[in-house]
Amino acid sequence: MIFPEVHIPIIEIPLENSDVRLFIKREDLIHPEISGNKYWKLFYNINRYMAQKPANPRLITFGGAFSNHIAAVAALGNSENIPTTGIIRGDELADKWQDNPTLSFAAAKGMTFRFVSRQQYRNKPDLTEMLLQEFPEAVVIPEGGTNELAVNGVQHMLNEQTKSFDYLCCAVGTGGTVAGISKFATANQKILGFKTVNDNSLEESVLSFSGKGNFTLISGINDAYGKITDENIRFINVFAEKYGIQLDPVYTGKLMQRIFDLIETGYFPKGSKILAFHTGGMQGIEGANLLLSRKGRPLIKTY
């Protein structure tokens, strides 16, 4: 993987009658298929692995049916000519994955799948050991891509421009991105992580990777990972119409919705400059709309 030459803009979100300023960094523009934070979480993992010159390379990783990480690893493997295997949570998908937009995309990029039950999926050490016996030269990347190398890659989401902000905000799934931002932020910056999953172990995990106490994890809009309410959809659609920026329903949509809530309730001190990171995930919209349409619910508009 190479450093992208794409300019990543920081765009101000104009707020009415507010004494704070809000900006968004468009990491989603870094690559059309290896989107946002996934690019940086994979960057050092893949480069260190390929530097070892494995004779039979393979990327193996874990994810759910609509995982951004699965899609990103499949796209990366395709671009770097490395075979990929995805361990997918939910053995009921084995005979109907073709109906899933994320898995269909991954398969088109050459990824092969192993579908496992949710109980098996929770036992990743045994799965990893079994896979490495079958593919001894493979590298196993954790679910969501979070490990020490991934955290170090996130430092490249920060630059001279980001140093002027008082608050740095991102959505939190497995915790790697917020840990990287925390680890490499300047001493005066406060880091806010907005949880998209109800996981009480996240704070300990983030601290172990970051080594700093400069972050706060804030409860998200919904307790359940991947749960999308009609209000989430309304916010995403209005945000896109008003500001011209598409958000995804699992991460960035809930991130921005919660930030707006905090601004309205006076959480941020007067004069604060707030930066939110758009971490991509656009591939998940098609799958979300498929599920929403089956239930006759409002859809996320795409632009």
Side-chain angles (χ1 to χ4, degrees), residues 87-151:
I87 313 306
I88 309 301
R89 181 179 65 247
D91 50 3
E92 74 278 1
L93 296 166
D95 297 325
K96 55 183 179 181
W97 63 264
Q98 295 90 344
D99 299 328
N100 179 294
T102 300
L103 298 182
S104 294
F105 169 84
K109 294 298 178 180
M111 177 174 276
T112 58
F113 303 126
R114 302 288 177 89
F115 296 94
V116 299
S117 69
R118 283 160 173 75
Q119 182 177 357
Q120 288 176 299
Y121 189 84
R122 285 192 287 269
N123 195 353
K124 293 183 183 65
D126 283 356
L127 285 172
T128 298
E129 182 179 350
M130 178 187 69
L131 289 161
L132 287 177
Q133 288 177 359
E134 184 176 353
F135 304 107
E137 291 188 272
V139 62
V140 178
I141 302 170
E143 181 180 30
T146 292
N147 57 17
E148 187 173 354
L149 289 172
V151 169

Side-chain angles (χ1 to χ4, degrees), residues 203-256:
E203 187 164 4
E204 183 179 349
S205 176
V206 172
L207 182 60
S208 69
F209 282 120
S210 165
K212 293 183 179 179
N214 58 352
F215 68 90
T216 300
L217 297 187
I218 294 176
S219 297
I221 295 293
N222 306 312
D223 290 335
Y225 178 76
K227 180 181 179 181
I228 306 169
T229 67
D230 288 352
E231 177 57 23
N232 297 148
I233 298 167
R234 186 203 66 80
F235 178 88
I236 289 168
N237 289 340
V238 169
F239 191 92
E241 291 171 5
K242 191 170 184 179
Y243 305 115
I245 300 173
Q246 182 86 66
L247 304 174
D248 87 288
V250 176
Y251 294 100
T252 56
K254 294 177 181 179
L255 164 71
M256 297 308 296

Side-chain angles (χ1 to χ4, degrees), residues 6-37:
V6 178
H7 171 64
I8 306 299
I10 294 177
I11 299 169
E12 183 164 10
I13 304 299
L15 302 175
E16 299 175 1
N17 304 317
S18 178
D19 52 13
V20 302
R21 297 177 70 189
L22 174 63
F23 298 76
I24 187 167
K25 189 167 188 280
R26 295 293 305 276
E27 292 290 336
D28 58 306
L29 301 178
I30 195 170
H31 190 280
E33 295 176 338
I34 311 168
S35 182
N37 60 338

